[in-house]
Amino acid sequence: MSPTPVLLDADPGIDDALAIAYLVAEHHTGLIDLTGLVCTAGNVGLDDTVRNALAWLDLAGAHPLPVAAGSAGPIEVPHVVTPETHGPRGAGYADLPTTTRSTDPRDGARLWVDAARAHPGELVAIVTGPTSTLARALELEPALPGLVRRLVVMGGSFLGHPGNTTPVSEWNVDVDPEAADRVCLAWEASRAADPSIPPVLWCGLNLTERAVWTPGRSERLLAASDAPITRHLTDALRFYFEFHQSMGDGYLAQVHDPFVAWLALRPDSVVSSPANLRIECSGGHTRGMAVADVRGHRGRVDNASVAVDVEVPGGVDAILDQVSAAIASLSPRA
């Protein structure tokens, strides 16, 4: 079988960095063809997301691939960054090296469209940051939902699980609810016209907060490969541990993004529920809330598949073991 073409839209970000390294490792195994990386402003500003993405690709020994700068902020509201979560430049305590890689001249939204058109019906697209660039790509190519094989988004919170930004909202969605809702509407319209188009797989906090990376896992990663990529990742993760400790979660890190990247490549491992999903954009107390209609109250086509569990021997911990092993394979012990 030929490798699955994959496009990542990220806002690195510490756990995005793990996702980048993981996908590069899967590219090396031949499981996927990592065809491009779109950088969207999110955890940090656009310049830093681009800088970080290029540096992490270099550290991972990635093949040449297009890296495009996408949206510099949300559609309608000011951009709020999270230096307390990921560090002032989005890499925690990691001192990222300079890189000779350059960005693609295309806008990130154009790279989305070009990648989908180059691999019609084959492209697996993964979004681990705000959907701001994807929303603009849908303006360029309204037929985008029918061109991708699968879209997987790390965003939202479901089944009554609390948000991490407001009581009801998850950060990626809360940054740009208008963009996320446009994605919902685009897939609803496309599936109403063509029910064979797969719904978006939304992986929310109800599932991804179970992906916990501990200091012990970092130690095992370094023991397996004391390479530049693993040293820089563990430096970044120390900052993430401290953030979670400051929030009362313990000295650990919830690594949503590499977990979602793993699931995106193995959708049969995901237990999910069909739903019609909309994002609340105006409520004074509920802005950014992902509102999933799982009982058909709206009488509208299901545009989403909400991830609720995994069917993997060993569960989430086993998945993170595989992610860690893949990253360790990027470079042998120095």
Side-chain angles (χ1 to χ4, degrees):
M1 295 179 62
S2 58
T4 300
V6 171
L7 177 74
L8 176 65
D9 187 333
D11 63 332
I14 294 168
D15 51 341
D16 301 82
L18 285 165
I20 290 170
Y22 166 68
L23 290 174
V24 170
E26 292 287 29
H27 177 94
H28 288 337
T29 69
L31 177 67
I32 68 170
D33 175 16
L34 185 57
T35 62
L37 200 163
V38 174
C39 301
T40 297
N43 293 312
V44 288
L46 186 59
D47 288 346
D48 281 329
T49 63
V50 172
R51 163 189 169 270
N52 294 348
L54 295 172
W56 289 119
L57 287 170
D58 260 359
L59 286 165
H63 59 291
L65 73 157
V67 178
S71 293
I75 293 173
E76 294 188 8
V77 296
H79 181 210
V80 178
V81 296
T82 58
E84 72 285 356
T85 307
H86 295 268
R89 301 196 68 181
Y93 291 126
D95 184 13
L96 296 181
T98 56
T99 176
T100 58
R101 289 179 184 259
S102 57
T103 57
D104 193 273
R106 288 170 290 183
D107 177 83
R110 174 53 61 186
L111 180 56
W112 261 99
V113 173
D114 289 350
R117 288 175 176 169
H119 305 281
E122 299 178 355
L123 184 71
V124 173
I126 307 169
V127 181
T128 60
T131 53
S132 310
T133 309
L134 173 55
R136 290 200 294 109
L138 288 163
E139 294 178 358
L140 292 176
E141 177 52 277
L144 189 62
L147 290 173
V148 299
R149 174 180 174 185
R150 183 163 60 252
L151 171 64
V152 181
V153 176
M154 192 281 118
S157 193
F158 305 94
L159 304 177
H161 191 89
N164 61 0
T165 305
T166 76
V168 296
S169 67
E170 175 274 333
W171 193 84
N172 281 344
V173 170
D174 191 79
V175 166
D176 198 350
E178 284 78 14
D181 198 47
R182 290 185 189 185
V183 172
C184 294
L185 288 170
W187 255 261
E188 179 178 326
S190 295
R191 281 183 44 77
D194 182 358
S196 70
I197 294 173
V200 180
L201 177 62
W202 288 81
C203 300
L205 298 178
N206 52 293
L207 180 58
T208 65
E209 283 191 347
R210 291 163 52 187
V212 174
W213 193 285
T214 62
R217 192 178 293 280
S218 287
E219 292 168 5
R220 292 192 294 275
L221 176 61
L222 282 172
S225 173
D226 185 21
I229 180 65
T230 55
R231 292 196 297 271
H232 281 80
L233 284 172
T234 53
D235 284 346
L237 282 159
R238 283 192 295 108
F239 191 98
Y240 217 23
F241 294 155
E242 292 175 4
F243 163 73
H244 283 84
Q245 185 176 47
S246 74
M247 298 299 291
D249 298 320
Y251 195 69
L252 50 80
Q254 295 163 353
V255 288
H256 316 269
D257 299 344
F259 175 50
V260 169
W262 190 96
L263 295 177
L265 306 186
R266 299 166 180 85
D268 291 343
S269 300
V270 183
V271 180
S272 61
S273 297
N276 179 268
L277 180 64
R278 293 294 305 276
I279 307 300
E280 177 60 54
C281 295
S282 60
H285 300 289
T286 56
R287 177 174 166 81
M289 184 177 185
V291 185
D293 178 10
V294 298
R295 293 187 171 181
H297 292 296
R298 299 188 185 109
R300 304 183 71 88
V301 66
D302 291 332
N303 58 355
S305 186
V306 175
V308 297
D309 207 346
V310 295
E311 288 185 337
V312 178
V316 176
D317 282 344
I319 292 173
L320 291 185
D321 286 345
Q322 292 185 36
V323 168
S324 183
I327 292 172
S329 74
L330 288 171
S331 179
R333 177 181 290 276

